């Protein structure tokens, strides 16, 4: 087993990783910015090193400072968490060059899946359904226009280096295609330093369903079923659940097997998420793969009983996935609500400030993943997510009931949070009836 690692992150995921380390007997070295110097979770780490001022660029995104901390603390590996440097291939390469392990995939696998065009080709090669579209990146506008006409509108233009909704344009006719194509390329060049774009048929009102996968360094790969992440606002997920209750057993098996084929084809190690769109007829199409542990991993942990962070750490330690697929069982239904310090009445503007009253919910089936507490000051320097409320019950209906009860118990004052917005969604007749898709928030709220 690894004996000492550094956690290059902050907040709830830093605490989540520290907890897994302690249970595995791995020493955890935390890093923190000046804004996080009083975070109680730092006490649970074996050592805590200040890496700079609050601004991300000078702390959690600052590669030389993080590598220096890793060298000084003499760790064997770095866990990047999610966000920040988690999918930065340059960072992973530097870790490798410095002889520091990276709790994640190889640089090669990260590069391959980070390129959405390459990932699409890989999926097709692995006989996984992809959305009909261009064979690869498309440079020539008239060629792209021809293809758009052949596929039929609407089509979506996506940046090869994009992902997670960044650098996308939906186009409904030739006129808007002509004005969007060049603009999308220019935008991609500015945003990602890569003007490469591709086009896909636009799937109308799909569900966003993603498969959790884990692979070891000996080529064993297992899936931990799927999450439905359709409840999102402006590409920010608000509520996630597992399983996706519209999938029948056969479709679920096909979907999860498809995800595994992609991961095996990529010669992948560690945790990955393979994202699909599922249309109204239950057809599924691969769209992209994420090479990190994701925010919403707890819903998968609740329904499978597996600790995914521990699996990441064991695999990074050279252990094999010594379990069989048939022993990973789906049990019940789990839902996660993201509690963000945002004002739903002010277009979800970030709402930093000091929490003077904090009471967390509890009771059967309730899990709270957070680093905040009474007296904590939410900094404007970071992402507004301050807690994740996860519930697990035998059925989706019971999970909704427990989630509503837990949200009602949750007190975070005086800052504004997404608790009331989550309650509104969980009380919506169409959510309860499981009639959801990625357009749910925009249509109903
Ligand atoms: C799509 C799509 C429809 N058709 N691709 C959004 C996040 C990124 N992972 C991929 N996304 C989408 N890809 C095809 N071929 C719909 C989305 C999508 C979306 C698109 C535009 C506006 C809002 C959206 C919300 C969720 C998903």
């Amino acid at each position: 087993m690894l004996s000492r690692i550094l956690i290059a992150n902050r907040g709830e995921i830093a605490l989540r990783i520290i907890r897994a380390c302690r249970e595995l007997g791995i020493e955890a070295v935390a890093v923190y910015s000046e804004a996080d110097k009083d975070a109680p979770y730092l006490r649970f780490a074996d050592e805590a090193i200040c890496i700079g001022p609050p601004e991300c660029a000078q702390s959690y995104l600052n590669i030389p400072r993080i590598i220096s901390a890793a060298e000084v603390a003499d760790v064997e590996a770095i866990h990047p968490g999610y966000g920040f440097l988690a999918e930065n291939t340059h960072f992973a390469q530097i870790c490798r060059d410095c002889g520091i392990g990276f709790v994640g995939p190889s640089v090669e696998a990260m590069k391959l899946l980070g390129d959405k065009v390459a990932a699409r080709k890989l999926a097709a090669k692995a006989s996984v359904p992809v959305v009909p579209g261009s064979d690869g990146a498309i440079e020539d506008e008239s060629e792209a226009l021809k293809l758009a006409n052949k596929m039929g509108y609407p089509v979506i233009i996506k940046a090869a280096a994009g992902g997670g909704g960044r650098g996308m344009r939906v186009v409904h006719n030739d006129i808007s295609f002509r004005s969007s194509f060049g603009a999308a390329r220019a935008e991609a060049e500015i945003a990602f330093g890569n003007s490469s774009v591709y086009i896909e048929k636009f799937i109308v009102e799909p569900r966003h369903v993603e498969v959790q996968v884990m692979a070891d360094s000996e080529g064993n790969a297992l899936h931990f079923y799927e999450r439905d992440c359709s409840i999102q606002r402006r590409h920010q997920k608000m509520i996630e659940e597992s399983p996706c209750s519209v999938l029948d057993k056969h479709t679920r098996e096909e979907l999860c097997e498809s995800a595994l084929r992609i991961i095996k084809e990529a010669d992948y190690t560690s945790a990955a998420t393979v994202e699909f769109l599922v249309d109204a007829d239950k057809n599924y199409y691969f769209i992209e793969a994420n090479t990190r542990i994701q925010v919403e991993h707890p819903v998968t942990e609740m329904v499978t009983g597996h600790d995914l962070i521990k699996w990441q750490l064991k695999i990074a330690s050279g252990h094999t996935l010594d379990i069989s697929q048939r022993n990973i069982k789906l049990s019940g239904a789990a839902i996660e609500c993201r509690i963000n310090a945002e004002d739903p009445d002010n277009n979800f503007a970030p709402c930093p400030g000091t929490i003077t009253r904090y009471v967390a919910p509890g009771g059967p089936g309730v899990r709270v993943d957070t680093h905040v507490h009474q007296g904590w000051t939410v900094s404007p320097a970071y992402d507004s997510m301050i807690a994740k409320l996860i519930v697990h019950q035998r059925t989706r209906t019971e999970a909704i009931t427990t989630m509503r009860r837990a949200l009602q118990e949750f007190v975070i004052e005086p800052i504004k949070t997404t608790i009331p917005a989550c309650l509104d969604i969980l009380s919506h007749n169409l959510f309860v009836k499981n009639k959801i898709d990625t357009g749910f928030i925009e249509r109903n709220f």
Side-chain angles (χ1 to χ4, degrees), residues 74-273:
D74 196 23
V75 299
E76 295 166 287
I78 296 179
H79 195 310
Y82 53 69
F84 295 125
L85 299 168
E87 284 167 291
N88 185 318
T89 56
H90 176 61
F91 177 63
Q93 181 65 53
I94 289 173
C95 289
R96 181 190 278 179
D97 295 344
C98 293
I100 301 167
F102 182 79
V103 183
S106 68
V107 176
E108 291 75 17
M110 213 193 238
K111 279 186 180 158
L112 177 62
L113 295 177
D115 177 341
K116 308 301 163 193
V117 168
R120 224 174 108 79
K121 285 183 182 159
L122 186 83
K125 192 174 165 212
S127 312
V128 173
V130 295
V131 189
S134 55
D135 279 337
I138 243 186
E139 272 167 43
D140 183 62
E141 185 182 309
S142 57
E143 191 194 326
L145 189 66
K146 257 189 234 161
L147 183 58
N149 275 282
K150 202 175 133 214
M151 292 191 310
Y153 290 105
V155 302
I156 185 166
I157 306 170
K158 296 182 174 181
R166 296 174 314 148
M168 300 185 340
R169 277 176 181 237
V170 182
V171 180
H172 293 272
N173 53 54
D174 283 358
I175 294 168
S176 65
F177 191 95
R178 280 206 182 85
S179 62
S180 294
F181 190 76
R185 283 176 58 87
E187 250 173 48
E189 180 62 42
I190 293 167
F192 314 113
N194 176 357
S195 64
S196 197
V197 300
Y198 61 108
I199 63 177
E200 282 178 357
K201 176 85 184 161
F202 183 70
I203 308 294
V204 179
E205 299 182 351
R207 282 176 183 253
H208 171 132
V209 181
E210 55 184 36
V211 177
Q212 177 68 57
V213 175
M214 194 71 73
D216 67 23
S217 45
E218 290 182 11
N220 303 301
L222 298 171
H223 71 78
F224 292 74
Y225 303 98
E226 79 286 355
R227 299 183 283 261
D228 188 321
C229 306
S230 299
I231 304 297
Q232 37 182 289
R233 183 189 167 274
R234 300 199 178 159
H235 302 297
Q236 291 296 319
K237 293 169 187 164
M238 295 184 73
I239 297 176
E240 304 97 345
E241 56 182 293
S242 184
C244 168
S245 48
V246 295
L247 298 183
D248 56 68
K249 206 163 175 260
H250 175 74
T251 310
R252 170 170 299 118
E253 216 159 274
E254 297 261 295
L255 180 83
C256 295
E257 284 297 322
S258 292
L260 284 178
R261 286 202 300 278
I262 291 174
I263 273 343
K264 285 178 181 164
E265 194 71 43
D267 208 1
Y268 196 89
T269 312
S270 193
T273 300

Side-chain angles (χ1 to χ4, degrees), residues 296-308:
E296 59 272 24
H297 76 274
V299 290
T300 299
E301 295 188 322
M302 302 319 285
V303 294
T304 63
H306 281 272
D307 185 318
L308 297 171

Side-chain angles (χ1 to χ4, degrees), residues 253-322:
E253 216 159 274
E254 297 261 295
L255 180 83
C256 295
E257 284 297 322
S258 292
L260 284 178
R261 286 202 300 278
I262 291 174
I263 273 343
K264 285 178 181 164
E265 194 71 43
D267 208 1
Y268 196 89
T269 312
S270 193
T273 300
V274 184
E275 293 187 5
F276 297 88
L277 297 178
V278 178
D279 70 16
D281 300 323
K282 315 277 163 75
N283 299 306
Y284 66 86
Y285 309 93
F286 167 79
I287 48 168
E288 55 191 74
N290 300 315
T291 61
R292 60 174 188 279
I293 191 77
Q294 290 197 258
V295 171
E296 59 272 24
H297 76 274
V299 290
T300 299
E301 295 188 322
M302 302 319 285
V303 294
T304 63
H306 281 272
D307 185 318
L308 297 171
I309 307 287
K310 280 189 186 168
W311 270 123
Q312 277 192 302
L313 292 167
K314 285 193 236 175
I315 287 167
S317 301
H319 287 219
T320 56
L321 274 161
D322 55 355

